[in-house]
Amino acid sequence: DGGITQSPKYLFRKEGQNVTLSCEQNLNHDAMYWYRQDPGQGLRLIYYSQIVNDFQKGDIAEGYSVSREKKESFPLTVTSAQKNPTAFYLCASSRGSSSGNTIYFGEGSWLTVV
Amino acid sequence: QQQVKQSPQSLIVQKGGISIINCAYENTAFDYFPWYQQFPGKGPALLIAIRPDVSEKKEGRFTISFNKSAKQFSLHIMDSQPGDSATYFCAASVGSNTGKLIFGQGTTLQVKP
């Protein structure tokens, strides 16, 4: 099946730890994105990548890092510098980055700080 | 100016009724307005989208109405069904980078049988 796979679905992080969320797509999409969703709020863009080996900060990039070494993969690392990391994280992709390209989302990953 | 304001926050509709969700924006450069539907614990899925050169777009029971002069757009769900119960997000983007979608705060719709 074609789609976007995020793992793990649930993740618990201790204070001071870095954690990495995986995102893989087999849609052959050039652009990939990471969004954060907090309860009762809309989605906010963390990072996005239009091509391999290139990525840009979104609106809330502080405390996060990404890499784009392969077209199909766009992992997100939540670092200890992120003060309030508990949230639902959504990876997405689109064929291109021009306006009108449909953005497809993965099933999301829940991150909880314990 | 980058905000998209969505209302109401929650909505309860009887089965068969019309659900209406409204969004407003400030940035006149926005040129793509999608609506997403999200079920609990799932990622959002594109429902319907419109560009500002048309005033209305209909797909099945879902219609977007767009008022460019008022900088407002709305989603109408006709003959609402319990299966439509979900959270709906409006969004907007500009120019060359669709990925920079600006989302509204979301509306939780409950359709009562």
Side-chain angles (χ1 to χ4, degrees), chain A residues 9 33 35 37 40-43 45 48 50 57 59 88 90 96-108 110, chain B residues 9 31-32 36 38 40-46 51 87 89 93-106:
Chain A
K9 180 69 175 178
Y33 318 90
Y35 283 87
Q37 185 175 20
Q41 296 189 31
L43 285 68
L45 184 63
Y48 63 100
Q50 294 172 290
K57 292 181 179 180
D59 299 320
F88 188 46
L90 288 157
S97 55
S98 60
S99 187
N101 274 289
T102 300
I103 291 181
Y104 298 89
F105 284 87
E107 294 281 275
W110 290 95
Chain B
Q9 188 173 0
D31 62 358
Y32 176 66
Y36 280 82
Q38 184 180 32
K42 302 293 186 182
L46 179 67
R51 290 196 180 275
T87 299
F89 292 96
S93 69
V94 58
S96 63
N97 197 333
T98 292
K100 297 198 74 173
L101 281 174
I102 308 299
F103 283 85
Q105 296 84 351

Side-chain angles (χ1 to χ4, degrees), chain A residues 32-65:
Chain A
M32 297 187 74
Y33 318 90
W34 275 103
Y35 283 87
R36 169 178 172 147
Q37 185 175 20
D38 294 283
Q41 296 189 31
L43 285 68
R44 291 180 292 168
L45 184 63
I46 304 173
Y47 268 98
Y48 63 100
S49 168
Q50 294 172 290
I51 57 172
V52 174
N53 292 322
D54 186 52
F55 49 82
Q56 288 81 39
K57 292 181 179 180
D59 299 320
I60 55 166
E62 185 175 353
Y64 300 97
S65 65

Side-chain angles (χ1 to χ4, degrees), chain A:
Chain A
D1 283 350
I4 300 169
T5 302
Q6 290 188 237
S7 63
K9 180 69 175 178
Y10 301 95
L11 185 60
F12 297 89
R13 191 194 92 170
K14 293 182 179 179
E15 294 281 353
Q17 271 186 339
N18 293 352
V19 294
T20 297
L21 307 179
S22 170
C23 178
E24 303 279 332
Q25 54 97 0
N26 60 5
L27 300 168
N28 199 32
H29 284 172
D30 288 318
M32 297 187 74
Y33 318 90
W34 275 103
Y35 283 87
R36 169 178 172 147
Q37 185 175 20
D38 294 283
Q41 296 189 31
L43 285 68
R44 291 180 292 168
L45 184 63
I46 304 173
Y47 268 98
Y48 63 100
S49 168
Q50 294 172 290
I51 57 172
V52 174
N53 292 322
D54 186 52
F55 49 82
Q56 288 81 39
K57 292 181 179 180
D59 299 320
I60 55 166
E62 185 175 353
Y64 300 97
S65 65
V66 294
S67 62
R68 186 85 187 276
E69 298 176 0
K70 298 186 295 182
K71 184 176 183 178
E72 60 270 23
S73 178
F74 191 42
L76 173 73
T77 297
V78 184
T79 74
S80 57
Q82 170 51 235
K83 299 305 179 187
N84 185 22
T86 296
F88 188 46
Y89 290 87
L90 288 157
C91 179
S93 71
S94 62
R95 180 165 32 180
S97 55
S98 60
S99 187
N101 274 289
T102 300
I103 291 181
Y104 298 89
F105 284 87
E107 294 281 275
S109 293
W110 290 95
L111 173 62
T112 302
V113 173
V114 297

